């Protein structure tokens, strides 16, 4: 979204990443996209601990102290503004975890619209299918 507001184009990464970037712009919400085969359950959404971070995609270390962060058994791997290189999607990815970081005030009807539209976009352009839908409340 930052790129679009600055008048810059979106980079072309791969079909799945590009399709989800389209959804992020369309719904004006941050999304996370992770290679599910590189995520080690359980997955939790929580506030980052002091000094906690991870190696970002095309970035140095991403500090998540005090910020919302997705974490698995190996530690933090994503937040609303940056995903980790450990769980990044590549052309070899076969199973992906798609996360919309939606504020509670968004409301269930709007959230369903976002999720349904995102699923439609990803299945249309990426020939995928949904295997589940979960709500991760912040802990």
């Amino acid at each position: 979204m930052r790129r679009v507001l600055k008048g810059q184009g979106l980079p072309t990464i791969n079909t799945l990443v590009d399709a989800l970037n389209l959804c992020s712009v369309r719904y004006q919400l941050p999304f996370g996209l992770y290679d599910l085969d590189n995520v080690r359950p359980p997955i939790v959404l929580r506030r980052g601990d002091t000094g906690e971070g991870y190696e970002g995609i095309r970035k140095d270390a991403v500090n998540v102290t005090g910020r919302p962060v997705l974490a698995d058994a190996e530690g933090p791997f994503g937040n609303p503004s940056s995903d980790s290189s450990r769980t990044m999607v590549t052309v070899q990815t076969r199973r992906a975890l798609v996360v919309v970081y939606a504020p509670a005030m968004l409301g269930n009807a709007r959230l369903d619209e976002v999720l349904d539209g995102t699923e439609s976009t990803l299945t249309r352009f990426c020939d995928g299918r949904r295997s589940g839908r979960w709500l991760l409340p912040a802990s």
Side-chain angles (χ1 to χ4, degrees):
M1 196 65 182
R2 287 186 305 266
R3 288 177 179 269
V4 172
L5 292 174
K6 289 180 184 178
Q8 301 171 341
L10 293 174
T12 300
I13 309 296
N14 63 50
T15 306
L16 182 55
V17 172
D18 298 348
L20 196 63
N21 282 339
L22 171 64
C23 293
S24 183
V25 171
R26 178 184 293 150
Y27 298 114
Q28 297 181 18
L29 289 168
F31 283 80
L33 182 62
Y34 312 99
D35 186 323
L36 200 49
D37 290 328
N38 293 324
V39 174
R40 306 291 172 245
I43 301 167
V44 296
L45 176 63
R46 60 175 173 77
R47 185 177 306 268
D49 291 333
T50 301
E52 200 169 35
Y54 53 81
E55 182 182 334
I57 301 172
R58 292 186 304 272
K59 294 182 180 183
D60 293 329
V62 175
N63 183 342
V64 295
T65 300
R67 299 180 64 205
V69 64
L70 279 176
D72 64 2
E74 293 185 28
F77 66 88
N79 74 49
S81 63
S82 184
D83 297 332
S84 75
S85 60
R86 172 173 66 92
T87 58
M88 74 179 184
V89 167
T90 68
V91 293
Q92 286 78 34
T93 299
R94 295 297 168 252
R95 298 182 324 129
L97 172 64
V98 177
V99 175
V100 59
Y101 293 96
M105 65 184 179
L106 188 69
N108 289 339
R110 177 70 173 142
L111 181 58
D112 284 339
E113 177 186 328
V114 169
L115 294 174
D116 292 343
T118 300
E119 180 181 344
S120 176
T121 298
L122 297 182
T123 55
R124 176 179 176 203
F125 292 111
C126 305
D127 196 30
R129 65 178 172 79
R130 175 175 58 146
S131 62
R133 189 182 279 186
W134 304 273
L135 176 64
L136 289 178
S139 59

